[in-house]
Amino acid sequence: MPDICAFQYRYSSEEMRRLWSRENFLMKEILVEASIVRGLEEAGIAPAGCWERVIKCGRGITPQEVDEVENSLGHETAALAKVLESRCGPCGKYIHLGATSNDIIDTATALILKESLGIVKGKLRSVIEGLRRKASLYSDIVMVGRTHGQHAVPITLGFKLMNYAYELSRSYERLCSAEERVTRGKLAGAVGTMAAWGAAGLAVEDSALSNLGLAGHPITTQVAPRDGYAELIAVLAILAGQLDRFALEVRELSRPEIGEVETLHGRVGSSTMPHKRNPAVAERVSGIAKLLRGLAVTALENIPLMHERDLTNSSAERIMLPHTMLAIDQMLEDTVRLLEAFTPNREVMEKNLRMSRGGILSECFMVKAVLKGDMGRFKAHQKLSELTQKAVKEGKDLVELIKESGEFSFLNEEDLASCSDPAEYLGSYRELMERASRYVDDALRRC
Amino acid sequence: MPDICAFQYRYSSEEMRRLWSRENFLMKEILVEASIVRGLEEAGIAPAGCWERVIKCGRGITPQEVDEVENSLGHETAALAKVLESRCGPCGKYIHLGATSNDIIDTATALILKESLGIVKGKLRSVIEGLRRKASLYSDIVMVGRTHGQHAVPITLGFKLMNYAYELSRSYERLCSAEERVTRGKLAGAVGTMAAWGAAGLAVEDSALSNLGLAGHPITTQVAPRDGYAELIAVLAILAGQLDRFALEVRELSRPEIGEVETLHGRVGSSTMPHKRNPAVAERVSGIAKLLRGLAVTALENIPLMHERDLTNSSAERIMLPHTMLAIDQMLEDTVRLLEAFTPNREVMEKNLRMSRGGILSECFMVKAVLKGDMGRFKAHQKLSELTQKAVKEGKDLVELIKESGEFSFLNEEDLASCSDPAEYLGSYRELMERASRYVDDALRRC
Amino acid sequence: MPDICAFQYRYSSEEMRRLWSRENFLMKEILVEASIVRGLEEAGIAPAGCWERVIKCGRGITPQEVDEVENSLGHETAALAKVLESRCGPCGKYIHLGATSNDIIDTATALILKESLGIVKGKLRSVIEGLRRKASLYSDIVMVGRTHGQHAVPITLGFKLMNYAYELSRSYERLCSAEERVTRGKLAGAVGTMAAWGAAGLAVEDSALSNLGLAGHPITTQVAPRDGYAELIAVLAILAGQLDRFALEVRELSRPEIGEVETLHGRVGSSTMPHKRNPAVAERVSGIAKLLRGLAVTALENIPLMHERDLTNSSAERIMLPHTMLAIDQMLEDTVRLLEAFTPNREVMEKNLRMSRGGILSECFMVKAVLKGDMGRFKAHQKLSELTQKAVKEGKDLVELIKESGEFSFLNEEDLASCSDPAEYLGSYRELMERASRYVDDALRRC
Amino acid sequence: MPDICAFQYRYSSEEMRRLWSRENFLMKEILVEASIVRGLEEAGIAPAGCWERVIKCGRGITPQEVDEVENSLGHETAALAKVLESRCGPCGKYIHLGATSNDIIDTATALILKESLGIVKGKLRSVIEGLRRKASLYSDIVMVGRTHGQHAVPITLGFKLMNYAYELSRSYERLCSAEERVTRGKLAGAVGTMAAWGAAGLAVEDSALSNLGLAGHPITTQVAPRDGYAELIAVLAILAGQLDRFALEVRELSRPEIGEVETLHGRVGSSTMPHKRNPAVAERVSGIAKLLRGLAVTALENIPLMHERDLTNSSAERIMLPHTMLAIDQMLEDTVRLLEAFTPNREVMEKNLRMSRGGILSECFMVKAVLKGDMGRFKAHQKLSELTQKAVKEGKDLVELIKESGEFSFLNEEDLASCSDPAEYLGSYRELMERASRYVDDALRRC
């Protein structure tokens, strides 16, 4: 087959690709079929030894072999059942007996999702731990805090990074919850009643799911409820948005005029401009995030299936599930890379802190003025607002203009001095970082 | 102001509308401002008595009063702070001291979301309980189970309804988790460091949040992290999809040709066709669900804010948050109404069960054939497939055709009889319903 | 590479897959590089003969060859340029001279989109013509018109189908317009000024685009404006919605209880229920439509690129563009298949028309009553509403109940008779079908 | 009613709000009802004089009056018809005769959309013209062209702005096409056949639509096809993305470290930081764009209505249509404001051009090296890449490093000088701006 989809040849890790390959899906389907036979065995319906037989005779079946039978039958799972039956001798007729296609498909998907989520959680954990390590390393590097893209008041680089660690740990929590609801097997037959297994249904299900190491749904229609996939993809689209936010941070801080962070690798930035170095990895993270926001719509639309199910979920899911997992995998790997390369430039940070000639600490003066003078908060705000504009325009230090203005004479030298060092205007950043780190610890212990 | 938005005059309950009115938002903002003053009081920064004073002097402020000041200042929260300061005498200057606008906005929003979620959870609980009640009432009414819009195998109406109860209880769980992450106050100043409160930051925050009955975030930027709103709206869009699924069920089952359920009220269905009765309430549920899927996109896009925040979340949230809560409120109320009116028609259900002349139990024959004969599953499937088509085409009973065919001679009369009554082919539906009901019990105890 | 993406092995036609394969994209990129060399030749910058040389020495380059160089350079297009340079002797240094990567990428994409749109328009035309043919064939088959899933007033099957033809012809128009804006080459260098080509820029562009048979953009940044892709994908998502609507029509009309249309093929409908025949092709159309609605979000988010462009469009587009075209291709092919199999069941249609015992013509009686009597429209509506409910409940003909009621004595036998035949209550359906067909003709002539 | 929706009190212009008020919608509905009566009059069904009578007796009806009747009838349009009938004496019974609710709703909506689009196109035209004016004014101000947020090669501010003018003119074209498809009346009765008007249907429709100044659809179901609204909203979401792109440009260029553009107004930027000035208007544009991308999803989902229509479009549209138009209106007004305030800072632009010590012109050297030397493009790229990194790191001019390196000895002083002035490396920017301006002229003449 020609390569068309960039996830096959360009994005995502080998391990994630292998998980979502057709071959692996087929292997998992055969495992599910065998597990049902085991259930039938234990329930006394199928003869002893059949489930191990199915495992063996299922080996080596290729997607192409199933495709060929599907071409004449027009039904993928029926084709697999037929191929298996024809290979497994006297055990053959017990294969898929009483099961419906989505017993196989949904349960195989649960198995693959479980492994995928193991990978995703592992990589997310690496990102969070990487952020905490950097946060600790840079806990006291003072820099401009920015809102609206404009200078606000000082923060530290560590404080900034710890915010990301906290935010991502919330995604970790969400993944734990989603995993619990979505990695469940569904083995209940055509419409969920287990009718074809007579009185043995619960026993068959219990045995098969134990064999697979999956919990089940307490009740289902023909399929596992699709709110599960929607939750999972929404949760991953949220995570994608958070990684996008960090990527945006990197892209902005590494603009040459800002220059506070460097993540660029020594590679070609442009095919025509020799001088170019671009934050391409961060941009890729932001780019893939858009895909996940789109896929969330598809996942949400898949919930309202008709009666005991219609088939409109099927084609959408064949694309949506692997592409979502491959996309988030690439984003997480890229973020790990970003973090490794993330290098602050302290001198530039300091230079930028001085850029507003003290304006970045105007709030400090305002609070002082309110508490020591009788000026009122609004009036102090207004006057300082004028002076900070003047400071920038005339290239003078704010503290000088404050003195000159004569309106803040109730502030003495000590008062003024206490508002002149950004490193002194960081509030409780240390305690907050510790508090956040404890939260992260708890979150990472959730699952 | 002219009425433009249908949520103001047409959709949603009075209680939900009141919660999201400008007036209530302003009231909550004043309460937050006062609570911060309380924090400043307890930290020894503001004089005793100020916080109660602010509560009093904040009474009766109208949105219009704030608007007027905003017109000259160009900043909404600064305008509110100015209005409050001007009304509160010597306490005035402590108002908003060290706080940033989103301390007020995010915390007021958390308060309103908390009340809103109380309402939403209450109504969702009613829907779930209503479904369980009906499920229990109709637990043994046998009807056609349907997949792809076609007859599958029999289920009971109660079994069908219990599936919805289970699915919705998963939404209840998600709401509990989302609530924990989203109804948190944010009181940490301009960029989250609490710098303007000096060493007293944590104490101010603690006191103010206790007063408001809210937990806080361990760390924030200028704003509470926006993954919270995205999670909440995604979770509600998922819930909307589930209610949409139930509404679709009702719409389909009440088509005249199917006729198994009646929810129609004795009202005008068409302005021109006197005979029309339409499932308009169910259709409204499906309609509003589409809005929520759209708003989920907006909420996801609001996560990647720049640095310590940019303002691009603000306008989007002013629309997105109230509209989401008003939409889900209408959908839940409509679903309660649907459930109340939900009336099955047993005779039609029985008639429809007989429609396929026994084909609906073809699986039963297949399993019997596999277990008793030596036909193989695939071959049994194939033969029965032909006979079921013939049964419908020629208007004959499947069981007769099976006998005539001579291919299933290993099945005796008793075997054949055991596959002739839909009520006998319901598997473990009772146990599954009980299992689901226990799950629902657990879910509803979560919060 | 393992197959992961279902578009590679399951959905879409061979011709569309080939167009969007990596191999073909690379081939088109080489063609664009060669065309630029031609432009340089004609502008006197490159020596004569070079462009044909590049065509030749570009043959046989594989994606893997470029990948290998990319691995060391970290830039895909720079890698291609290097590979080409190394193969083309003295002409090598003119390759990519003055061009930026997106000159190559955007222009190659325009070429592929142009071919893709040729395919899409051709298949859409087949669908529209198929609908018109069926509309003409079934122009006078009377059937129940339905709103809200309930019986409204009669229509004909041809009238129904002609509505789809009209709606789809609007998509054809949109495709023509989108094609004009999107299949344009972009050859303007690093930021759109053509600076590297000195005074020869316009000539180079003109020559290269002529060679490729593409129009250009009058001005660009580094990239062609991304509103073009957003328009294209939105237009295709709209088309997908329309095909989804037709698929829903088929799915509903082929429910066994309604039974008016048959599109089912003689194949396996379920792996466990031998009697099942499912409208799986129609369901697949509805399923894939959900993907396209999601991709539209991604495409919209790709418009706001920063300054002369950022890279966040790139990864998203590598997935979004091929997947969109492959998805719509599958949907159109499926719809052609649906139309071929589409077979009405006249007897059932007639039976369903009688189901309401005349209620389906209640509007006819109401209009008669208004025009002949002095009852008022509202009162006539109200009385007929009661009688139609009674007709269904008591199993009596509406016309008899009208007579019995005594309230419509001003209507004589002839009046009543004129409201008793659905085939007589079809208004101007013929003229409307003709009007629509003329519109379709015009639309199909647009491009 | 309490104010909940920010579009009612905060966003959008008075004129747009008035158009989408309930009052105006009701007025337009009455106008449509009257126009149908005019059609009935001209067809000889209603007596002469009735249509003018309806205009008169329809005056002064309030939404509340209709609401009250709706409360008992459960149907909004039926309620309006009843209110009108009761006020219009002997003409009353002809009101709504043969019409279905969506004849009124869809046609009234078309009227309001037409006016709305007039406003939108007018404001978009202002934005485009404003951009062209500024582009012409600043056509030769040289500045850094940026890709990936990094310096690329020089452009002029006028060139940058003309790109936006071109892009937006494509939206203007799309609006013209969408308008043609969406501002069409729908007057064809219950399922589109005009059955209730007997043979007079086409005449009634023609007369009524002429009276309203609207074209019609050649054929419809019960409703106008919903691809029209989806197209309109997609087109506006694309426009929103373009305005978002311009707003992002402004936000980035006005970051203090970049400082090339000023749009800030002299108002309060923060409630707590006196020095803050924020690009709040631009941020609002980016914020509202997110809403429109979400609403596009809703609009797309509204296309697949069942059979001759289901009601699931109705509630979604009541929100989606006004909110979309109000949102785009606010965005356009904000963009006009941004453009008025848009002031470049030439000195900073020049300073930034020098920042890379000549690296911004590295492409110029590369092309020269390729054409004059025998170095090959790849090698020239590689060497210059190293030198540009060195230039920045060591704070030396690139041209000096080139000389020092000795590798470019084939370039003489003149060659080197020709790559030293950004103003000389602007390619065909003037011709491209003219070409774009002509395109814009053509586009604006489309409708």
Side-chain angles (χ1 to χ4, degrees), chain B residues 147-148 151 272 276 283 363, chain C residues 147-148 252 257 272 276 283 363:
Chain B
T147 58
H148 309 258
H151 292 193
T272 190
K276 286 284 274 183
E283 292 176 297
E363 185 192 46
Chain C
T147 59
H148 310 258
E252 293 288 336
E257 294 88 351
T272 191
K276 286 284 275 184
E283 291 176 298
E363 186 193 44

mmCIF file with all atom_site columns, all heavy atoms in Angstrom, chain B residues 147-148 151 272 276 283 363, chain C residues 147-148 252 257 272 276 283 363:
data_model
loop_
_atom_site.group_PDB
_atom_site.id
_atom_site.type_symbol
_atom_site.label_atom_id
_atom_site.label_alt_id
_atom_site.label_comp_id
_atom_site.label_asym_id
_atom_site.label_entity_id
_atom_site.label_seq_id
_atom_site.pdbx_PDB_ins_code
_atom_site.Cartn_x
_atom_site.Cartn_y
_atom_site.Cartn_z
_atom_site.occupancy
_atom_site.B_iso_or_equiv
_atom_site.pdbx_formal_charge
_atom_site.auth_seq_id
_atom_site.auth_comp_id
_atom_site.auth_asym_id
_atom_site.auth_atom_id
_atom_site.pdbx_PDB_model_num
ATOM 1   N N   . THR B 1 147 ? -30.427 -3.195  15.923 1.00 0.00 ? 147 THR B N   1
ATOM 2   C CA  . THR B 1 147 ? -29.127 -2.646  15.546 1.00 0.00 ? 147 THR B CA  1
ATOM 3   C C   . THR B 1 147 ? -29.197 -2.267  14.080 1.00 0.00 ? 147 THR B C   1
ATOM 4   O O   . THR B 1 147 ? -29.927 -2.909  13.320 1.00 0.00 ? 147 THR B O   1
ATOM 5   C CB  . THR B 1 147 ? -27.999 -3.671  15.767 1.00 0.00 ? 147 THR B CB  1
ATOM 6   O OG1 . THR B 1 147 ? -28.284 -4.838  15.008 1.00 0.00 ? 147 THR B OG1 1
ATOM 7   C CG2 . THR B 1 147 ? -27.884 -4.051  17.239 1.00 0.00 ? 147 THR B CG2 1
ATOM 8   N N   . HIS B 1 148 ? -28.489 -1.215  13.701 1.00 0.00 ? 148 HIS B N   1
ATOM 9   C CA  . HIS B 1 148 ? -28.541 -0.688  12.327 1.00 0.00 ? 148 HIS B CA  1
ATOM 10  C C   . HIS B 1 148 ? -29.973 -0.297  11.943 1.00 0.00 ? 148 HIS B C   1
ATOM 11  O O   . HIS B 1 148 ? -30.298 -0.241  10.768 1.00 0.00 ? 148 HIS B O   1
ATOM 12  C CB  . HIS B 1 148 ? -28.058 -1.714  11.289 1.00 0.00 ? 148 HIS B CB  1
ATOM 13  C CG  . HIS B 1 148 ? -26.739 -2.335  11.589 1.00 0.00 ? 148 HIS B CG  1
ATOM 14  N ND1 . HIS B 1 148 ? -25.578 -1.958  10.965 1.00 0.00 ? 148 HIS B ND1 1
ATOM 15  C CD2 . HIS B 1 148 ? -26.363 -3.304  12.468 1.00 0.00 ? 148 HIS B CD2 1
ATOM 16  C CE1 . HIS B 1 148 ? -24.568 -2.678  11.417 1.00 0.00 ? 148 HIS B CE1 1
ATOM 17  N NE2 . HIS B 1 148 ? -25.007 -3.508  12.339 1.00 0.00 ? 148 HIS B NE2 1
ATOM 18  N N   . HIS B 1 151 ? -34.090 -5.277  12.909 1.00 0.00 ? 151 HIS B N   1
ATOM 19  C CA  . HIS B 1 151 ? -34.335 -6.174  14.030 1.00 0.00 ? 151 HIS B CA  1
ATOM 20  C C   . HIS B 1 151 ? -33.100 -7.020  14.321 1.00 0.00 ? 151 HIS B C   1
ATOM 21  O O   . HIS B 1 151 ? -32.522 -7.618  13.408 1.00 0.00 ? 151 HIS B O   1
ATOM 22  C CB  . HIS B 1 151 ? -35.520 -7.082  13.724 1.00 0.00 ? 151 HIS B CB  1
ATOM 23  C CG  . HIS B 1 151 ? -36.808 -6.330  13.662 1.00 0.00 ? 151 HIS B CG  1
ATOM 24  N ND1 . HIS B 1 151 ? -38.031 -6.925  13.665 1.00 0.00 ? 151 HIS B ND1 1
ATOM 25  C CD2 . HIS B 1 151 ? -37.075 -4.987  13.612 1.00 0.00 ? 151 HIS B CD2 1
ATOM 26  C CE1 . HIS B 1 151 ? -38.994 -6.017  13.609 1.00 0.00 ? 151 HIS B CE1 1
ATOM 27  N NE2 . HIS B 1 151 ? -38.421 -4.828  13.549 1.00 0.00 ? 151 HIS B NE2 1
ATOM 28  N N   . THR B 1 272 ? -50.141 23.928  9.952  1.00 0.00 ? 272 THR B N   1
ATOM 29  C CA  . THR B 1 272 ? -51.004 23.729  8.776  1.00 0.00 ? 272 THR B CA  1
ATOM 30  C C   . THR B 1 272 ? -51.580 22.329  8.657  1.00 0.00 ? 272 THR B C   1
ATOM 31  O O   . THR B 1 272 ? -52.542 22.132  7.942  1.00 0.00 ? 272 THR B O   1
ATOM 32  C CB  . THR B 1 272 ? -50.242 24.098  7.472  1.00 0.00 ? 272 THR B CB  1
ATOM 33  O OG1 . THR B 1 272 ? -51.176 24.118  6.386  1.00 0.00 ? 272 THR B OG1 1
ATOM 34  C CG2 . THR B 1 272 ? -49.128 23.072  7.163  1.00 0.00 ? 272 THR B CG2 1
ATOM 35  N N   . LYS B 1 276 ? -51.149 16.474  12.780 1.00 0.00 ? 276 LYS B N   1
ATOM 36  C CA  . LYS B 1 276 ? -49.778 16.250  13.231 1.00 0.00 ? 276 LYS B CA  1
ATOM 37  C C   . LYS B 1 276 ? -49.630 16.230  14.747 1.00 0.00 ? 276 LYS B C   1
ATOM 38  O O   . LYS B 1 276 ? -50.149 17.071  15.456 1.00 0.00 ? 276 LYS B O   1
ATOM 39  C CB  . LYS B 1 276 ? -48.868 17.362  12.694 1.00 0.00 ? 276 LYS B CB  1
ATOM 40  C CG  . LYS B 1 276 ? -48.563 17.236  11.222 1.00 0.00 ? 276 LYS B CG  1
ATOM 41  C CD  . LYS B 1 276 ? -47.547 16.160  10.926 1.00 0.00 ? 276 LYS B CD  1
ATOM 42  C CE  . LYS B 1 276 ? -46.135 16.701  11.054 1.00 0.00 ? 276 LYS B CE  1
ATOM 43  N NZ  . LYS B 1 276 ? -45.149 15.678  10.703 1.00 0.00 ? 276 LYS B NZ  1
ATOM 44  N N   . GLU B 1 283 ? -36.971 16.225  19.967 1.00 0.00 ? 283 GLU B N   1
ATOM 45  C CA  . GLU B 1 283 ? -36.213 16.883  18.893 1.00 0.00 ? 283 GLU B CA  1
ATOM 46  C C   . GLU B 1 283 ? -35.454 18.088  19.436 1.00 0.00 ? 283 GLU B C   1
ATOM 47  O O   . GLU B 1 283 ? -34.341 18.386  19.000 1.00 0.00 ? 283 GLU B O   1
ATOM 48  C CB  . GLU B 1 283 ? -37.147 17.296  17.761 1.00 0.00 ? 283 GLU B CB  1
ATOM 49  C CG  . GLU B 1 283 ? -37.719 16.087  17.019 1.00 0.00 ? 283 GLU B CG  1
ATOM 50  C CD  . GLU B 1 283 ? -38.718 16.473  15.941 1.00 0.00 ? 283 GLU B CD  1
ATOM 51  O OE1 . GLU B 1 283 ? -39.778 17.058  16.294 1.00 0.00 ? 283 GLU B OE1 1
ATOM 52  O OE2 . GLU B 1 283 ? -38.470 16.195  14.761 1.00 0.00 ? 283 GLU B OE2 1
ATOM 53  N N   . GLU B 1 363 ? -30.504 -16.559 15.621 1.00 0.00 ? 363 GLU B N   1
ATOM 54  C CA  . GLU B 1 363 ? -29.275 -16.862 16.354 1.00 0.00 ? 363 GLU B CA  1
ATOM 55  C C   . GLU B 1 363 ? -29.474 -18.069 17.262 1.00 0.00 ? 363 GLU B C   1
ATOM 56  O O   . GLU B 1 363 ? -28.595 -18.925 17.408 1.00 0.00 ? 363 GLU B O   1
ATOM 57  C CB  . GLU B 1 363 ? -28.824 -15.650 17.174 1.00 0.00 ? 363 GLU B CB  1
ATOM 58  C CG  . GLU B 1 363 ? -27.482 -15.854 17.866 1.00 0.00 ? 363 GLU B CG  1
ATOM 59  C CD  . GLU B 1 363 ? -27.180 -14.767 18.907 1.00 0.00 ? 363 GLU B CD  1
ATOM 60  O OE1 . GLU B 1 363 ? -28.087 -14.435 19.718 1.00 0.00 ? 363 GLU B OE1 1
ATOM 61  O OE2 . GLU B 1 363 ? -26.058 -14.261 18.915 1.00 0.00 ? 363 GLU B OE2 1
ATOM 62  N N   . THR C 1 147 ? -42.326 14.716  8.217  1.00 0.00 ? 147 THR C N   1
ATOM 63  C CA  . THR C 1 147 ? -41.591 15.699  9.008  1.00 0.00 ? 147 THR C CA  1
ATOM 64  C C   . THR C 1 147 ? -41.621 15.234  10.450 1.00 0.00 ? 147 THR C C   1
ATOM 65  O O   . THR C 1 147 ? -42.597 14.605  10.870 1.00 0.00 ? 147 THR C O   1
ATOM 66  C CB  . THR C 1 147 ? -42.221 17.099  8.883  1.00 0.00 ? 147 THR C CB  1
ATOM 67  O OG1 . THR C 1 147 ? -43.567 17.031  9.324  1.00 0.00 ? 147 THR C OG1 1
ATOM 68  C CG2 . THR C 1 147 ? -42.179 17.590  7.442  1.00 0.00 ? 147 THR C CG2 1
ATOM 69  N N   . HIS C 1 148 ? -40.546 15.515  11.199 1.00 0.00 ? 148 HIS C N   1
ATOM 70  C CA  . HIS C 1 148 ? -40.432 15.045  12.581 1.00 0.00 ? 148 HIS C CA  1
ATOM 71  C C   . HIS C 1 148 ? -40.507 13.525  12.667 1.00 0.00 ? 148 HIS C C   1
ATOM 72  O O   . HIS C 1 148 ? -40.855 12.969  13.700 1.00 0.00 ? 148 HIS C O   1
ATOM 73  C CB  . HIS C 1 148 ? -41.532 15.614  13.492 1.00 0.00 ? 148 HIS C CB  1
ATOM 74  C CG  . HIS C 1 148 ? -41.714 17.086  13.420 1.00 0.00 ? 148 HIS C CG  1
ATOM 75  N ND1 . HIS C 1 148 ? -41.220 17.934  14.375 1.00 0.00 ? 148 HIS C ND1 1
ATOM 76  C CD2 . HIS C 1 148 ? -42.322 17.882  12.509 1.00 0.00 ? 148 HIS C CD2 1
ATOM 77  C CE1 . HIS C 1 148 ? -41.540 19.186  14.055 1.00 0.00 ? 148 HIS C CE1 1
ATOM 78  N NE2 . HIS C 1 148 ? -42.205 19.185  12.934 1.00 0.00 ? 148 HIS C NE2 1
ATOM 79  N N   . GLU C 1 252 ? -33.486 5.156   7.142  1.00 0.00 ? 252 GLU C N   1
ATOM 80  C CA  . GLU C 1 252 ? -34.808 5.209   7.761  1.00 0.00 ? 252 GLU C CA  1
ATOM 81  C C   . GLU C 1 252 ? -35.861 4.525   6.893  1.00 0.00 ? 252 GLU C C   1
ATOM 82  O O   . GLU C 1 252 ? -36.689 3.771   7.386  1.00 0.00 ? 252 GLU C O   1
ATOM 83  C CB  . GLU C 1 252 ? -35.207 6.669   8.022  1.00 0.00 ? 252 GLU C CB  1
ATOM 84  C CG  . GLU C 1 252 ? -34.349 7.367   9.074  1.00 0.00 ? 252 GLU C CG  1
ATOM 85  C CD  . GLU C 1 252 ? -34.624 6.860   10.490 1.00 0.00 ? 252 GLU C CD  1
ATOM 86  O OE1 . GLU C 1 252 ? -35.724 6.333   10.737 1.00 0.00 ? 252 GLU C OE1 1
ATOM 87  O OE2 . GLU C 1 252 ? -33.723 6.988   11.346 1.00 0.00 ? 252 GLU C OE2 1
ATOM 88  N N   . GLU C 1 257 ? -40.027 -1.788  9.639  1.00 0.00 ? 257 GLU C N   1
ATOM 89  C CA  . GLU C 1 257 ? -41.393 -1.318  9.891  1.00 0.00 ? 257 GLU C CA  1
ATOM 90  C C   . GLU C 1 257 ? -41.842 -0.308  8.846  1.00 0.00 ? 257 GLU C C   1
ATOM 91  O O   . GLU C 1 257 ? -43.039 -0.098  8.664  1.00 0.00 ? 257 GLU C O   1
ATOM 92  C CB  . GLU C 1 257 ? -41.495 -0.696  11.280 1.00 0.00 ? 257 GLU C CB  1
ATOM 93  C CG  . GLU C 1 257 ? -41.286 -1.688  12.425 1.00 0.00 ? 257 GLU C CG  1
ATOM 94  C CD  . GLU C 1 257 ? -39.810 -1.837  12.801 1.00 0.00 ? 257 GLU C CD  1
ATOM 95  O OE1 . GLU C 1 257 ? -38.956 -1.301  12.060 1.00 0.00 ? 257 GLU C OE1 1
ATOM 96  O OE2 . GLU C 1 257 ? -39.519 -2.500  13.803 1.00 0.00 ? 257 GLU C OE2 1
ATOM 97  N N   . THR C 1 272 ? -23.278 -12.888 14.072 1.00 0.00 ? 272 THR C N   1
ATOM 98  C CA  . THR C 1 272 ? -23.976 -13.837 14.944 1.00 0.00 ? 272 THR C CA  1
ATOM 99  C C   . THR C 1 272 ? -25.455 -14.011 14.637 1.00 0.00 ? 272 THR C C   1
ATOM 100 O O   . THR C 1 272 ? -26.063 -14.976 15.050 1.00 0.00 ? 272 THR C O   1
ATOM 101 C CB  . THR C 1 272 ? -23.784 -13.476 16.427 1.00 0.00 ? 272 THR C CB  1
ATOM 102 O OG1 . THR C 1 272 ? -24.262 -14.557 17.238 1.00 0.00 ? 272 THR C OG1 1
ATOM 103 C CG2 . THR C 1 272 ? -24.563 -12.215 16.804 1.00 0.00 ? 272 THR C CG2 1
ATOM 104 N N   . LYS C 1 276 ? -29.797 -11.093 9.712  1.00 0.00 ? 276 LYS C N   1
ATOM 105 C CA  . LYS C 1 276 ? -29.552 -9.650  9.583  1.00 0.00 ? 276 LYS C CA  1
ATOM 106 C C   . LYS C 1 276 ? -29.165 -9.222  8.174  1.00 0.00 ? 276 LYS C C   1
ATOM 107 O O   . LYS C 1 276 ? -28.320 -9.844  7.533  1.00 0.00 ? 276 LYS C O   1
ATOM 108 C CB  . LYS C 1 276 ? -28.421 -9.238  10.525 1.00 0.00 ? 276 LYS C CB  1
ATOM 109 C CG  . LYS C 1 276 ? -28.816 -9.203  11.985 1.00 0.00 ? 276 LYS C CG  1
ATOM 110 C CD  . LYS C 1 276 ? -29.640 -7.977  12.316 1.00 0.00 ? 276 LYS C CD  1
ATOM 111 C CE  . LYS C 1 276 ? -28.744 -6.798  12.616 1.00 0.00 ? 276 LYS C CE  1
ATOM 112 N NZ  . LYS C 1 276 ? -29.534 -5.635  13.030 1.00 0.00 ? 276 LYS C NZ  1
ATOM 113 N N   . GLU C 1 283 ? -24.730 3.585   6.407  1.00 0.00 ? 283 GLU C N   1
ATOM 114 C CA  . GLU C 1 283 ? -24.200 3.902   7.732  1.00 0.00 ? 283 GLU C CA  1
ATOM 115 C C   . GLU C 1 283 ? -22.747 4.362   7.653  1.00 0.00 ? 283 GLU C C   1
ATOM 116 O O   . GLU C 1 283 ? -22.315 5.238   8.394  1.00 0.00 ? 283 GLU C O   1
ATOM 117 C CB  . GLU C 1 283 ? -24.335 2.693   8.656  1.00 0.00 ? 283 GLU C CB  1
ATOM 118 C CG  . GLU C 1 283 ? -25.802 2.390   9.004  1.00 0.00 ? 283 GLU C CG  1
ATOM 119 C CD  . GLU C 1 283 ? -25.951 1.134   9.846  1.00 0.00 ? 283 GLU C CD  1
ATOM 120 O OE1 . GLU C 1 283 ? -25.584 0.048   9.344  1.00 0.00 ? 283 GLU C OE1 1
ATOM 121 O OE2 . GLU C 1 283 ? -26.431 1.220   10.975 1.00 0.00 ? 283 GLU C OE2 1
ATOM 122 N N   . GLU C 1 363 ? -54.946 18.551  5.962  1.00 0.00 ? 363 GLU C N   1
ATOM 123 C CA  . GLU C 1 363 ? -54.754 19.931  5.516  1.00 0.00 ? 363 GLU C CA  1
ATOM 124 C C   . GLU C 1 363 ? -55.697 20.266  4.374  1.00 0.00 ? 363 GLU C C   1
ATOM 125 O O   . GLU C 1 363 ? -56.241 21.367  4.292  1.00 0.00 ? 363 GLU C O   1
ATOM 126 C CB  . GLU C 1 363 ? -53.300 20.144  5.079  1.00 0.00 ? 363 GLU C CB  1
ATOM 127 C CG  . GLU C 1 363 ? -52.986 21.600  4.736  1.00 0.00 ? 363 GLU C CG  1
ATOM 128 C CD  . GLU C 1 363 ? -51.637 21.747  4.007  1.00 0.00 ? 363 GLU C CD  1
ATOM 129 O OE1 . GLU C 1 363 ? -51.339 20.962  3.095  1.00 0.00 ? 363 GLU C OE1 1
ATOM 130 O OE2 . GLU C 1 363 ? -50.877 22.663  4.360  1.00 0.00 ? 363 GLU C OE2 1
#
